[in-house]
Amino acid sequence: MTAQLINGNELSRKLRGEVAERAAALKAKGITPGLAVVLVGDNPASQVYVRNKVKACEDNGLHSVLEKYEASMTEAELLARVDALNQDPSIHGILVQLPLPAHIDAQKVIEAISPAKDVDGFHIASAGALMTGMPGFWPCTPYGCMKMLESIGYDLKGKHAVVIGRSNIVGKPMALMLLAKDATVTVCHSRTADLKAQTLQADVIVAAVGKRNVLTADMVKPGAVVLDVGMNRNDEGKLCGDVDFEGVKEVAGYITPVPGGVGPMTITMLLVNTIEAAERDAAAR
Ligand code: GUN
Protein backbone atom coordinates (compact mmCIF):
# COMPACT_ATOMS: atom_id res chain seq x y z
CA MET A 1 0.00 0.00 0.00
CA THR A 2 1.37 3.38 -0.96
CA ALA A 3 -1.58 5.60 -0.05
CA GLN A 4 -1.97 7.13 3.39
CA LEU A 5 -5.34 6.55 5.02
CA ILE A 6 -7.52 9.49 5.99
CA ASN A 7 -9.21 8.10 9.08
CA GLY A 8 -12.76 9.47 9.46
CA ASN A 9 -13.23 7.94 12.90
CA GLU A 10 -10.12 9.61 14.28
CA LEU A 11 -10.92 13.00 12.73
CA SER A 12 -14.51 12.69 13.95
CA ARG A 13 -13.34 12.09 17.51
CA LYS A 14 -11.31 15.30 17.39
CA LEU A 15 -14.08 17.39 15.82
CA ARG A 16 -16.77 15.94 18.10
CA GLY A 17 -14.56 16.84 21.06
CA GLU A 18 -14.59 20.44 19.85
CA VAL A 19 -18.38 20.30 19.51
CA ALA A 20 -18.67 19.00 23.08
CA GLU A 21 -16.54 21.94 24.32
CA ARG A 22 -18.70 24.44 22.44
CA ALA A 23 -21.84 22.75 23.82
CA ALA A 24 -20.47 23.06 27.35
CA ALA A 25 -19.71 26.76 26.78
CA LEU A 26 -23.29 27.36 25.62
CA LYS A 27 -24.67 25.41 28.57
CA ALA A 28 -22.69 27.64 30.92
CA LYS A 29 -24.74 30.50 29.43
CA GLY A 30 -27.97 28.59 30.04
CA ILE A 31 -28.46 27.39 26.47
CA THR A 32 -28.60 23.70 25.59
CA PRO A 33 -28.11 23.18 21.86
CA GLY A 34 -30.97 21.08 20.53
CA LEU A 35 -31.54 18.99 17.40
CA ALA A 36 -34.93 17.63 16.32
CA VAL A 37 -34.83 14.52 14.14
CA VAL A 38 -38.05 13.62 12.37
CA LEU A 39 -38.57 10.13 10.97
CA VAL A 40 -41.67 9.19 9.00
CA GLY A 41 -42.31 5.51 8.28
CA ASP A 42 -40.20 2.46 9.05
CA ASN A 43 -37.38 2.40 6.46
CA PRO A 44 -34.82 0.17 8.25
CA ALA A 45 -31.76 2.07 6.98
CA SER A 46 -33.31 5.38 8.08
CA GLN A 47 -33.97 3.95 11.54
CA VAL A 48 -30.27 3.10 11.92
CA TYR A 49 -29.14 6.52 10.65
CA VAL A 50 -31.54 8.33 12.94
CA ARG A 51 -30.49 6.29 15.98
CA ASN A 52 -26.84 7.09 15.25
CA LYS A 53 -27.59 10.81 14.93
CA VAL A 54 -29.48 10.91 18.23
CA LYS A 55 -26.72 8.96 20.00
CA ALA A 56 -24.03 11.27 18.61
CA CYS A 57 -25.95 14.23 20.07
CA GLU A 58 -26.23 12.59 23.50
CA ASP A 59 -22.53 11.67 23.51
CA ASN A 60 -21.44 15.25 22.82
CA GLY A 61 -23.66 17.33 25.08
CA LEU A 62 -26.41 18.21 22.62
CA HIS A 63 -30.07 17.75 23.42
CA SER A 64 -31.97 15.78 20.80
CA VAL A 65 -35.62 15.05 20.21
CA LEU A 66 -36.61 12.12 18.02
CA GLU A 67 -40.09 12.36 16.53
CA LYS A 68 -41.28 9.14 14.89
CA TYR A 69 -44.44 9.01 12.83
CA GLU A 70 -46.38 6.35 10.94
CA ALA A 71 -45.89 6.15 7.17
CA SER A 72 -49.56 7.17 6.88
CA MET A 73 -48.82 10.67 8.24
CA THR A 74 -50.12 13.30 5.81
CA GLU A 75 -47.99 16.00 4.24
CA ALA A 76 -50.07 18.65 6.03
CA GLU A 77 -49.43 16.97 9.39
CA LEU A 78 -45.70 16.85 8.74
CA LEU A 79 -45.64 20.50 7.62
CA ALA A 80 -47.43 21.42 10.85
CA ARG A 81 -44.77 19.59 12.90
CA VAL A 82 -41.97 21.36 11.03
CA ASP A 83 -43.66 24.68 11.69
CA ALA A 84 -43.94 23.90 15.40
CA LEU A 85 -40.23 23.00 15.53
CA ASN A 86 -39.39 26.24 13.68
CA GLN A 87 -41.11 28.13 16.53
CA ASP A 88 -39.58 26.03 19.34
CA PRO A 89 -36.75 28.01 21.01
CA SER A 90 -35.20 24.84 22.51
CA ILE A 91 -34.59 23.45 18.99
CA HIS A 92 -31.70 24.91 16.96
CA GLY A 93 -31.51 22.31 14.20
CA ILE A 94 -34.22 20.38 12.36
CA LEU A 95 -33.52 17.26 10.33
CA VAL A 96 -36.27 15.45 8.45
CA GLN A 97 -34.85 12.07 7.52
CA LEU A 98 -35.08 11.19 3.83
CA PRO A 99 -36.51 9.36 1.98
CA LEU A 100 -40.06 10.34 2.92
CA PRO A 101 -43.09 8.23 1.94
CA ALA A 102 -44.08 8.77 -1.71
CA HIS A 103 -47.26 10.71 -0.90
CA ILE A 104 -45.21 13.47 0.79
CA ASP A 105 -43.39 16.07 -1.33
CA ALA A 106 -39.92 16.01 0.26
CA GLN A 107 -38.82 19.27 -1.34
CA LYS A 108 -41.88 21.05 0.03
CA VAL A 109 -41.07 19.77 3.53
CA ILE A 110 -37.42 20.83 3.25
CA GLU A 111 -38.46 24.32 2.12
CA ALA A 112 -40.72 24.55 5.18
CA ILE A 113 -37.72 24.26 7.53
CA SER A 114 -36.45 27.63 8.70
CA PRO A 115 -33.08 28.22 6.94
CA ALA A 116 -31.68 29.23 10.36
CA LYS A 117 -32.38 25.65 11.54
CA ASP A 118 -31.54 23.84 8.29
CA VAL A 119 -28.59 21.85 9.65
CA ASP A 120 -28.82 19.36 6.76
CA GLY A 121 -28.15 22.26 4.36
CA PHE A 122 -30.83 21.03 1.95
CA HIS A 123 -33.02 24.18 1.83
CA ILE A 124 -32.75 26.22 -1.39
CA ALA A 125 -31.66 29.18 0.77
CA SER A 126 -28.75 27.07 2.06
CA ALA A 127 -27.91 25.93 -1.49
CA GLY A 128 -28.01 29.55 -2.66
CA ALA A 129 -25.80 30.66 0.23
CA LEU A 130 -23.23 28.01 -0.66
CA MET A 131 -23.34 29.00 -4.32
CA THR A 132 -22.81 32.70 -3.60
CA GLY A 133 -20.36 32.36 -0.69
CA MET A 134 -22.81 33.75 1.87
CA PRO A 135 -23.12 32.40 5.42
CA GLY A 136 -25.40 29.36 5.63
CA PHE A 137 -25.35 25.67 6.42
CA TRP A 138 -23.40 23.32 4.16
CA PRO A 139 -24.63 19.77 3.46
CA CYS A 140 -22.89 17.49 5.93
CA THR A 141 -21.30 14.89 3.64
CA PRO A 142 -19.40 17.22 1.29
CA TYR A 143 -18.60 19.47 4.27
CA GLY A 144 -17.04 16.41 5.94
CA CYS A 145 -15.00 15.75 2.79
CA MET A 146 -13.65 19.31 2.95
CA LYS A 147 -12.65 18.77 6.59
CA MET A 148 -10.82 15.58 5.57
CA LEU A 149 -8.81 17.52 2.97
CA GLU A 150 -8.12 20.22 5.57
CA SER A 151 -6.92 17.53 8.03
CA ILE A 152 -4.09 16.51 5.67
CA GLY A 153 -3.20 20.15 5.03
CA TYR A 154 -4.19 19.88 1.39
CA ASP A 155 -4.10 23.17 -0.55
CA LEU A 156 -6.71 23.01 -3.33
CA LYS A 157 -5.59 26.20 -5.05
CA GLY A 158 -5.00 25.47 -8.74
CA LYS A 159 -5.56 21.73 -8.28
CA HIS A 160 -7.86 19.74 -10.53
CA ALA A 161 -10.72 18.10 -8.66
CA VAL A 162 -13.03 15.58 -10.29
CA VAL A 163 -16.37 14.89 -8.59
CA ILE A 164 -18.16 11.75 -9.77
CA GLY A 165 -21.88 12.18 -9.09
CA ARG A 166 -24.19 15.19 -9.38
CA SER A 167 -26.72 14.78 -6.57
CA ASN A 168 -28.07 17.83 -4.74
CA ILE A 169 -26.87 16.31 -1.45
CA VAL A 170 -23.27 15.47 -2.37
CA GLY A 171 -22.01 15.98 -5.93
CA LYS A 172 -23.22 19.50 -6.66
CA PRO A 173 -22.44 21.04 -3.24
CA MET A 174 -19.06 19.22 -3.24
CA ALA A 175 -18.17 20.87 -6.54
CA LEU A 176 -19.08 24.32 -5.16
CA MET A 177 -17.02 23.83 -1.98
CA LEU A 178 -13.96 22.74 -3.98
CA LEU A 179 -14.45 25.69 -6.35
CA ALA A 180 -14.61 28.09 -3.39
CA LYS A 181 -11.12 26.84 -2.42
CA ASP A 182 -9.82 27.70 -5.91
CA ALA A 183 -9.73 24.20 -7.38
CA THR A 184 -10.55 23.66 -11.04
CA VAL A 185 -13.57 21.38 -10.83
CA THR A 186 -15.00 18.82 -13.22
CA VAL A 187 -18.32 17.16 -12.41
CA CYS A 188 -18.78 13.72 -13.98
CA HIS A 189 -21.94 11.61 -14.00
CA SER A 190 -23.63 8.63 -15.63
CA ARG A 191 -23.65 10.32 -19.06
CA THR A 192 -19.99 11.38 -18.98
CA ALA A 193 -18.46 10.09 -22.22
CA ASP A 194 -15.04 8.98 -20.94
CA LEU A 195 -14.84 8.97 -17.16
CA LYS A 196 -11.32 7.53 -17.07
CA ALA A 197 -9.98 10.33 -19.27
CA GLN A 198 -11.33 12.81 -16.69
CA THR A 199 -10.21 11.04 -13.50
CA LEU A 200 -6.68 10.47 -14.85
CA GLN A 201 -6.30 14.27 -14.91
CA ALA A 202 -7.40 14.67 -11.30
CA ASP A 203 -5.36 15.66 -8.25
CA VAL A 204 -8.43 15.03 -6.10
CA ILE A 205 -11.25 12.59 -6.85
CA VAL A 206 -14.52 12.44 -4.93
CA ALA A 207 -16.59 9.36 -5.77
CA ALA A 208 -20.25 9.85 -4.86
CA VAL A 209 -22.30 7.60 -7.11
CA GLY A 210 -23.59 4.76 -4.93
CA LYS A 211 -22.14 1.97 -7.10
CA ARG A 212 -19.22 -0.37 -6.43
CA ASN A 213 -15.96 -0.13 -8.37
CA VAL A 214 -16.82 3.13 -10.12
CA LEU A 215 -13.17 4.07 -9.62
CA THR A 216 -10.41 1.50 -10.26
CA ALA A 217 -6.61 1.77 -10.07
CA ASP A 218 -6.15 2.33 -13.82
CA MET A 219 -8.30 5.49 -13.54
CA VAL A 220 -6.17 7.22 -10.89
CA LYS A 221 -3.09 9.43 -11.34
CA PRO A 222 -0.27 8.34 -8.99
CA GLY A 223 -0.40 10.37 -5.77
CA ALA A 224 -3.98 11.62 -6.20
CA VAL A 225 -6.25 12.12 -3.17
CA VAL A 226 -9.28 9.83 -3.31
CA LEU A 227 -12.37 10.43 -1.16
CA ASP A 228 -14.97 7.66 -1.23
CA VAL A 229 -18.53 8.74 -0.36
CA GLY A 230 -20.11 5.42 -1.43
CA MET A 231 -21.95 3.10 0.96
CA ASN A 232 -22.60 -0.18 -0.81
CA ARG A 233 -22.57 -3.90 -0.02
CA ASN A 234 -20.29 -6.32 -1.84
CA ASP A 235 -21.22 -9.90 -2.82
CA GLU A 236 -20.34 -11.12 0.70
CA GLY A 237 -22.64 -8.48 2.20
CA LYS A 238 -19.71 -6.43 3.51
CA LEU A 239 -19.88 -2.64 3.50
CA CYS A 240 -17.87 -1.10 0.64
CA GLY A 241 -17.59 2.21 -1.15
CA ASP A 242 -17.62 3.33 -4.78
CA VAL A 243 -13.85 2.90 -5.04
CA ASP A 244 -11.98 -0.36 -5.59
CA PHE A 245 -10.03 0.23 -2.39
CA GLU A 246 -7.58 -2.68 -2.74
CA GLY A 247 -6.46 -1.55 -6.17
CA VAL A 248 -6.63 2.23 -5.78
CA LYS A 249 -4.70 2.30 -2.48
CA GLU A 250 -1.63 1.13 -4.43
CA VAL A 251 -1.74 4.20 -6.69
CA ALA A 252 -3.30 7.06 -4.68
CA GLY A 253 -1.41 9.36 -2.32
CA TYR A 254 -4.28 9.49 0.18
CA ILE A 255 -7.48 7.46 0.38
CA THR A 256 -10.51 7.23 2.68
CA PRO A 257 -11.59 3.72 3.73
CA VAL A 258 -15.16 2.39 3.85
CA PRO A 259 -16.22 1.93 6.59
CA GLY A 260 -14.44 4.47 8.80
CA GLY A 261 -13.92 7.20 6.22
CA VAL A 262 -16.46 9.76 5.03
CA GLY A 263 -19.38 7.96 6.79
CA PRO A 264 -18.69 9.08 10.38
CA MET A 265 -17.85 12.58 9.11
CA THR A 266 -21.44 13.11 7.93
CA ILE A 267 -22.84 12.85 11.46
CA THR A 268 -19.91 14.84 12.83
CA MET A 269 -20.70 17.75 10.51
CA LEU A 270 -24.37 17.55 11.50
CA LEU A 271 -23.23 18.14 15.09
CA VAL A 272 -20.98 21.00 13.93
CA ASN A 273 -23.87 22.61 12.03
CA THR A 274 -26.19 22.22 15.02
CA ILE A 275 -23.76 23.80 17.47
CA GLU A 276 -23.19 26.59 14.95
CA ALA A 277 -26.97 27.15 14.71
CA ALA A 278 -27.21 27.34 18.49
CA GLU A 279 -24.29 29.79 18.71
CA ARG A 280 -25.80 32.02 16.01
CA ASP A 281 -29.12 31.97 17.87
CA ALA A 282 -27.39 32.84 21.15
CA ALA A 283 -25.49 35.72 19.50
CA ALA A 284 -28.73 37.12 18.05
CA ARG A 285 -30.49 37.30 21.42
N1 GUN B 1 -31.00 10.23 4.24
C1 GUN B 1 -29.77 9.76 3.96
N2 GUN B 1 -28.83 10.66 4.31
C2 GUN B 1 -29.48 11.71 4.83
C3 GUN B 1 -29.05 12.95 5.38
O1 GUN B 1 -27.86 13.28 5.46
N3 GUN B 1 -30.02 13.76 5.83
C4 GUN B 1 -31.35 13.44 5.76
N4 GUN B 1 -32.24 14.32 6.21
N5 GUN B 1 -31.78 12.31 5.25
C5 GUN B 1 -30.85 11.44 4.80
Side-chain angles (χ1 to χ4, degrees):
M1 166 149 171
T2 61
Q4 291 194 53
L5 278 188
I6 310 179
N7 184 329
N9 285 323
E10 205 175 285
L11 181 56
S12 283
R13 258 193 300 280
K14 174 172 169 266
L15 295 175
R16 291 182 194 197
E18 292 169 11
V19 166
E21 282 174 21
R22 288 163 73 180
L26 278 175
K27 270 191 196 157
K29 292 191 211 158
I31 300 159
T32 302
L35 174 70
V37 179
V38 181
L39 175 63
V40 184
D42 49 14
N43 180 310
S46 290
Q47 287 178 341
V48 175
Y49 289 142
V50 157
R51 233 189 351 259
N52 289 341
K53 288 169 186 176
V54 168
K55 180 166 188 313
C57 283
E58 285 169 4
D59 291 348
N60 294 285
L62 282 75
H63 162 67
S64 72
V65 181
L66 174 56
E67 297 195 3
K68 280 183 167 178
Y69 298 103
E70 301 286 328
S72 57
M73 181 185 218
T74 67
E75 184 180 281
E77 286 167 338
L78 179 54
L79 289 170
R81 277 314 304 152
V82 168
D83 192 45
L85 292 168
N86 282 338
Q87 311 296 331
D88 184 340
S90 74
I91 295 299
H92 304 97
I94 303 170
L95 182 150
V96 178
Q97 186 68 23
L98 303 177
L100 286 169
H103 66 276
I104 298 178
D105 180 344
Q107 199 57 41
K108 195 166 165 187
V109 173
I110 289 166
E111 300 319 333
I113 296 170
S114 163
K117 298 189 179 187
D118 176 36
V119 288
D120 253 335
F122 293 170
H123 195 287
I124 46 171
S126 303
L130 170 59
M131 181 164 208
T132 52
M134 301 294 286
F137 293 110
W138 287 4
C140 301
T141 300
Y143 191 9
C145 288
M146 294 304 287
K147 285 285 171 191
M148 293 181 110
L149 291 173
E150 197 183 301
S151 77
I152 59 167
Y154 195 83
D155 183 4
L156 283 158
K157 197 177 299 152
K159 295 293 199 306
H160 188 187
V162 169
V163 179
I164 317 174
R166 55 172 159 179
S167 70
N168 289 337
I169 293 176
V170 185
K172 282 189 237 172
M174 184 81 254
L176 291 169
M177 289 175 203
L178 293 162
L179 188 60
K181 291 287 181 190
D182 298 326
T184 300
V185 183
T186 302
V187 182
C188 298
H189 47 79
S190 55
R191 304 298 164 95
T192 294
D194 187 349
L195 179 62
K196 181 176 170 178
Q198 300 296 332
T199 57
L200 275 176
Q201 305 291 319
D203 303 302
V204 176
I205 304 172
V206 182
V209 177
K211 222 171 87 184
R212 281 163 59 195
N213 296 334
V214 159
L215 191 76
T216 48
D218 57 307
M219 301 167 73
V220 177
K221 181 166 83 172
V225 179
V226 176
L227 306 181
D228 190 350
V229 177
M231 277 278 205
N232 312 298
R233 298 263 168 201
N234 67 13
D235 294 336
E236 291 92 55
K238 257 180 65 184
L239 206 59
C240 67
D242 291 352
V243 174
D244 170 27
F245 182 82
E246 290 307 316
V248 172
K249 76 179 182 356
E250 302 300 332
V251 184
Y254 287 91
I255 190 167
T256 64
V258 177
V262 175
M265 293 299 292
T266 298
I267 294 187
T268 298
M269 300 324 291
L270 173 68
L271 300 179
V272 169
N273 279 347
T274 303
I275 203 81
E276 183 71 35
E279 286 172 354
R280 287 181 199 173
D281 181 55
R285 273 164 202 273

